[in-house]
Amino acid sequence: MKYLDEYRDPAAARRLVEAIRGLVTRPWNLMEVCGGQTHAIVRFGIDELLPEGVRLIHGPGCPVCVTPIELIDKAVAIAARPGVIFCSFGDMLRVPGSASDLFRVRSEGGDVRVVYSPLDAVRIAAENPGRQVVFFAVGFETTAPANALSVLEARRLGLANYSVLVSHVLVPPALEAVLGSPDRIVDGLLAAGHVCAVMGTEAYHPLAARHRVPIVVTAFEPLDLLQGIHMALRQLEEGRAEVENQYDRVVRPGGNPAARAVMDEVFRVADRAWRGIGVIPMSGLVLREAFAAFDAERVFEVEGVGGPESPHCRSGLVLQGLLKPQACPAFGTLCTPDNPLGATMVSGEGACAAYYRYRRHGLA
Ligand code: SF4
C-alpha cells in the first residue's frame, strides 16, 4: 500500500533501532504528546525496542480524554432535552460523565447522532428547522478550523437552530504546564504532527528555549516515531534543545494560514479545564462574542451542571505521564472499555484504551 508500507518497513525500523542503540549513553525520558502516537507506540511495541533506560511517557494529547467531565454532563443534559438533535463524533458517546453518557441518552430515546464532519450537523440543522441541532465541538487545533467553518456556514445560511458545545484545547499551554511542573520527568518531547500542520512550529521555539528541552515534530507511523525518537535523543546526547521537524513532508513553520484565520475569526483564547488535570491558563478556545448565538451553553443555559469524577480514576496522572495505565488499580478490573471509569479507557486515542487493547496480557 503506497504511503503506508514505506513507513512500516521492518528492515528500515531495525536500522533505526540500531542507530538509537548506538547513540544512547544514559537514561532519558521522552514524552509523545499525541494519543494517536501513543496507540502506534503500544500497538507496534516501539517502546519495547528502545535501549534500557530510554522511556516513552504518554502525554495529554487525547482530545476526548481531556474534555472536562462538566462538559460531558452538559452534553448529556442538552441531548436529553426534547426537540434536540445532538451531533457528535462517535468516540464521545461512551465517555463517562458523572452520572451518564451520550450513549445511554440515546438508548433512552434521545436523538443523539454520530456525524463525521461538523458540516453534516449544519446540514441536519438546515433539514430540521423546527428542532435545535447541537454539535459537540471537541478537539485540539486540528479540529477547530472545521468547527469554526461550521459556525460560519450556519450564519451564512441564516440558521437560528444550530449551535456548538465547545471544548477546544490548545497544545502549547498544556506542554508549558507539563514542562513547568515541579514533578517534571520529561527530558524531550515528540510534538504532534497534525497539530503543527495547522499551527506551524513557531509556538514551540520559546518552549524549547525556556525549558531547555528538545522538541521534535513527529508523525504517526512506526518509522516516523523511531526517527523522531532518534532526533530527540541525538539532541539530548549533544546537549542541544531545539525544535526539529521530522514531519517535513506535511508541516511548514507557519502551518496552514487559511485554517488559522478561520479559527481566529470565530474563536478566542481563554482559560480551559482539562479533565483530570484542572484549569490550564489560556489553554482553550471559546466562541467570540459575535458568535454568542451559536454557543450551546448560552442557548440551553446549562450553567451549574456537572458532577464529580470517579474516585477510582487516575486518568489525570496518566495524561501527565506520571502513571502507566496498568499501574492504575482499576485497570482491567473495575475499569474496562465496556465499563469505563475514565475517558482514557474509551477514547480511540486514550492511553488506557491502548494498553487494554494491546498489552492486556500484562495484567496481574
Ligand atoms: S484504567 Fe480506568 S480508572 Fe484507571 S486511569 Fe485509566 S480510565 Fe481511569
Side-chain angles (χ1 to χ4, degrees), residues 1-32:
M1 190 190 302
K2 194 157 170 44
Y3 301 133
L4 194 53
D5 284 354
E6 53 265 58
Y7 298 111
R8 297 184 178 182
D9 176 39
R14 274 193 294 274
R15 283 195 296 276
L16 273 167
V17 169
E18 284 312 308
I20 289 169
R21 288 181 186 277
L23 183 69
V24 171
T25 61
R26 48 153 287 185
W28 298 108
N29 291 330
L30 299 180
M31 173 179 272
E32 88 280 356

Side-chain angles (χ1 to χ4, degrees), residues 64-152:
V64 172
C65 305
V66 299
T67 296
I69 194 165
E70 180 194 9
L71 269 173
I72 304 293
D73 287 344
K74 287 180 177 178
V76 164
I78 293 170
R81 298 236 186 135
V84 167
I85 302 173
F86 194 91
C87 300
S88 170
F89 295 134
D91 49 2
M92 295 305 295
L93 265 60
R94 297 293 316 281
V95 176
S98 61
S100 187
D101 58 45
L102 289 168
F103 194 71
R104 189 182 301 176
V105 172
R106 185 161 80 175
S107 71
E108 291 169 352
D111 194 346
V112 177
R113 302 187 190 181
V114 172
V115 294
Y116 298 98
S117 155
L119 291 177
D120 291 343
V122 175
R123 179 183 47 75
I124 291 169
E127 292 169 354
N128 294 272
R131 300 178 65 185
Q132 286 290 328
V133 176
V134 182
F135 178 70
F136 203 175
V138 303
F140 289 105
E141 294 92 330
T142 38
T143 51
N147 293 342
L149 261 182
S150 81
V151 172
L152 295 177

Side-chain angles (χ1 to χ4, degrees), residues 37-78:
Q37 292 172 331
T38 300
H39 270 251
I41 286 165
V42 178
R43 177 181 173 194
F44 292 102
I46 290 171
D47 51 338
E48 296 174 329
L49 297 173
L50 299 178
E52 206 176 317
V54 175
R55 284 205 308 147
L56 291 178
I57 298 168
H58 313 313
C62 164
V64 172
C65 305
V66 299
T67 296
I69 194 165
E70 180 194 9
L71 269 173
I72 304 293
D73 287 344
K74 287 180 177 178
V76 164
I78 293 170

